[in-house]
Amino acid sequence: MTTGKSVLAFDMGASSGRALVGQLTEDSNGQSKLQVTEIHRFPNHAIQVGNHLHWDILRLLHELKKGIRLAFQQGYSPLTFGIDTWGVDFGLIDGNGELLGNPYHYRDSHTEGLIEEVNAIIGQEALFRQSGLQFMPFNTLYQLYAMKKAASPKLDIAQTLLLTPDLLTYLLTGIKICEFTMATTTQLFNPGTQAWNEPLMAQLEIPSRLFLKPIHPGTLIGPLTPAVTAELGIPTAIQAVAVGTHDTESAIAAVPAGEEPFAYLVCGTWSLLGTEMAQPQLGRDTMELEFSNEGGVGGTYQLLKNIMGLWLLQECKREWDEGGNELSFPELVRMAEEAASFRSLIHPDDPRFFAPASMVDKIREFCGETGQPIPQTEGEVIRCILESLALRYRQALEQAEKLTDTRYGGLHMVGGGTQNRLLCQFTANALGRSVWAGPVEASAIGNMLLQLVALGQCANLQEARKLVARSFPIDAYEPEGDKNWAAAYETFMGFGRV
């Protein structure tokens, strides 16, 4: 491993994006470490246009260009850059290489009811064996099927489908690629055959010509176009790398686990709890417990469950902010600490919480329907969310153990949610096991690791994870012996969802 090299990571979530520079340094003992510096942060807002919800993809492109320019202006000379984003969403490119409209947002309503409709055509179990994914309404399959049902002319005109990070890379480099981890979020990639599921596409009348052969993380793509390089006024056209472009997979790459096997929780707007596998699990038990098999970095598969996550808290805060009651996240967590414990609980993955007009009203509605006290104050609402998430994590971990016949000694928790110390402690309490929290910027760090692998600065994923363990603080949370967590879990399990 050589020190002194720098790389640029763009990590974009559903509400914000970041540009971060990673540099290899050396400590006094000659040990290499990764130093991460944030140089740019920007919002990422959904835009309602008529009846549809879209991403403002050109604004995101503008922010990426700004991040590249700022890296050079601040004295860095990154050799490469990589982009990771949320999964499933895409843009369509025509024969002239131009983008056909703004991509749909995964929370757009045009896919409502399509899970049941597609299952009736294909068969639920057959579809799971062919994709290995949870049946989630926003999966790329349902978005394309919705466009087909609406007779969208874009499908007739389009030549290529590019998933969000690959689309942004194309707009910067002019090179079209499809990265493996992102391909596996579509429900159109068959993990058994390791290829696009063209028979399924034919059944649903989705044009297979749109799909490029996937490439694996750690592949060098090519440089910025001369036009972009000149526009930004930078001295060199830095190279793009296909990192683990699905942000979940980048985050998992940064889990500083020394032991194998291990369980992880990627905690942000969504929570993803699972374990790393050599092969996908495509059996009926995996489907019935609503786990997914997503492609990971280093030739792995991730057996994981999607959980609604801190979206619940974020939406409540947004609602209060818009009503003039602006409270910071630390203030809300402090209020939750002061609220009574186990007063009321929700099931975080109840469908009503996916895209409600009022998250606070929906939480109160759930509590009322289940005969619990209705949370009134901000602190009561947030405590309800955090305790419910911790109990959901316990349920998902126990399900993962059932599927893998493995007992995990604790849980590695990474991502922005690790900054919520109350949630970390609640999770340890609910599990009755250790929780190791950090790093916070896991997706960006995993993004950087794959760039370092592509540059030959890290030999493989195992060496990269050791670099993370040396470079970033990890906070350990031990369970506090409150027997009320066991009673709360019984109440939670009574809500009846897997």
Side-chain angles (χ1 to χ4, degrees), residues 168-237:
L168 290 165
T169 298
Y170 165 69
L171 295 174
L172 291 168
T173 66
I175 301 170
K176 300 173 187 173
I177 62 107
C178 175
E179 188 274 321
F180 168 72
T181 70
M182 189 62 69
T184 66
T185 71
T186 63
Q187 211 171 353
L188 291 164
F189 185 86
N190 189 325
T193 63
Q194 292 289 295
W196 291 112
N197 192 342
E198 294 190 11
L200 173 64
M201 295 180 197
Q203 280 182 276
L204 298 178
E205 299 180 46
I206 294 170
S208 60
R209 70 174 189 280
L210 300 176
F211 297 87
L212 301 172
K213 183 178 179 180
I215 63 175
H216 279 272
T219 302
L220 279 168
I221 299 171
L224 297 173
T225 65
V228 170
T229 305
E231 175 193 349
L232 300 182
I234 57 176
T236 181

Side-chain angles (χ1 to χ4, degrees), residues 121-156:
I121 298 169
I122 308 300
Q124 184 183 45
E125 194 166 351
L127 182 55
F128 186 80
R129 285 198 308 270
Q130 295 173 39
S131 68
L133 289 190
Q134 273 178 272
F135 299 96
M136 307 290 277
F138 47 71
N139 289 350
T140 314
L141 180 156
Y142 305 115
Q143 295 194 44
L144 286 166
Y145 188 63
M147 293 177 70
K148 193 273 295 185
K149 283 175 61 69
S152 171
K154 294 178 187 176
L155 291 180
D156 297 325

Side-chain angles (χ1 to χ4, degrees), residues 75-114:
Y76 301 103
S77 297
L79 298 174
T80 56
F81 73 94
I83 302 170
D84 68 81
T85 76
W86 62 96
V88 308
D89 290 335
F90 59 90
L92 295 171
I93 305 299
D94 68 13
N96 291 330
E98 295 190 11
L99 177 64
L100 293 168
N102 281 316
Y104 291 115
H105 190 291
Y106 64 81
R107 293 191 192 273
D108 186 76
S109 62
H110 69 154
T111 60
E112 288 180 2
L114 295 189

Side-chain angles (χ1 to χ4, degrees), residues 331-490:
E331 287 174 320
L332 289 171
V333 171
R334 178 186 55 77
M335 295 167 77
E337 284 184 288
E338 295 170 355
S341 60
F342 308 118
R343 187 173 181 271
S344 47
L345 299 167
I346 60 170
H347 196 294
D349 292 312
D350 188 283
R352 76 188 78 196
F353 302 132
F354 181 69
S358 168
M359 184 67 78
V360 176
D361 285 349
K362 290 299 180 183
I363 288 171
R364 290 171 175 161
E365 177 184 275
F366 184 99
C367 294
E369 288 180 4
T370 50
Q372 303 177 89
I374 295 174
Q376 299 296 329
T377 68
E378 291 87 349
E380 288 173 350
V381 171
I382 299 304
R383 186 158 191 129
C384 171
I385 291 170
L386 298 182
E387 289 178 341
S388 300
L389 283 173
L391 293 166
R392 179 60 163 159
Y393 299 155
R394 173 178 170 178
Q395 183 188 29
L397 181 63
E398 290 178 353
Q399 291 171 339
E401 290 179 326
K402 179 180 179 181
L403 290 173
T404 61
D405 194 26
T406 301
R407 167 81 180 181
Y408 301 104
L411 185 67
H412 289 273
M413 187 171 174
V414 299
T418 61
Q419 297 174 98
N420 189 326
R421 298 183 66 85
L422 187 60
L423 177 59
C424 295
Q425 187 60 62
F426 281 177
T427 302
N429 294 350
L431 300 180
R433 311 183 208 186
S434 300
V435 168
W436 305 289
V440 174
E441 295 286 4
S443 293
I445 292 166
N447 180 323
M448 293 172 185
L449 296 178
L450 268 292
Q451 293 185 61
L452 293 172
V453 169
L455 291 169
Q457 305 302 308
C458 281
N460 50 41
L461 180 59
Q462 291 69 34
E463 184 177 334
R465 282 182 170 148
K466 291 177 183 177
L467 175 63
V468 175
R470 291 195 301 269
S471 302
F472 303 99
I474 306 299
D475 295 321
Y477 294 84
E478 300 302 328
E480 297 169 343
D482 186 343
K483 294 181 180 178
N484 289 325
W485 279 99
Y489 190 53
E490 288 187 19

Side-chain angles (χ1 to χ4, degrees), residues 3-70:
T3 58
K5 308 294 185 182
S6 69
V7 296
L8 177 61
F10 291 102
D11 170 40
M12 292 191 289
S15 59
S16 66
R18 294 151 291 279
L20 306 97
V21 172
Q23 288 181 294
L24 284 177
T25 62
E26 202 171 84
D27 65 16
S28 57
N29 296 318
Q31 287 269 48
S32 60
K33 291 189 175 183
L34 181 62
Q35 179 180 310
V36 174
T37 305
E38 182 181 301
I39 61 169
H40 183 42
R41 183 177 287 260
F42 49 91
N44 182 16
H45 297 307
I47 307 294
Q48 187 77 33
V49 183
N51 295 325
H52 289 292
L53 197 64
H54 295 271
W55 295 108
D56 191 353
I57 200 73
L58 298 184
R59 167 54 58 177
L60 295 179
L61 175 64
H62 169 79
E63 299 294 353
L64 296 185
K65 289 179 178 180
K66 186 175 180 180
I68 294 170
R69 184 186 292 115
L70 284 171

Side-chain angles (χ1 to χ4, degrees), residues 263-334:
Y264 57 76
L265 171 65
V266 180
C267 188
T269 300
W270 286 91
S271 290
L272 300 308
L273 191 148
T275 188
E276 198 163 74
M277 308 287 290
Q279 299 293 331
Q281 290 204 9
L282 304 174
R284 184 179 182 85
D285 53 350
T286 307
M287 179 190 74
E288 290 179 342
L289 289 176
E290 297 183 359
F291 273 68
S292 280
N293 296 268
E294 294 183 358
V297 306
T300 61
Y301 267 86
Q302 305 302 334
L303 179 69
L304 57 81
K305 172 165 279 191
N306 286 270
I307 299 169
M308 202 72 75
L310 291 173
W311 158 255
L312 300 159
L313 190 157
Q314 292 163 355
E315 279 296 285
C316 289
K317 181 183 184 307
R318 180 189 61 77
E319 189 175 333
W320 290 323
D321 287 349
E322 290 177 354
N325 185 19
E326 296 189 12
L327 296 164
S328 68
F329 284 114
E331 287 174 320
L332 289 171
V333 171
R334 178 186 55 77

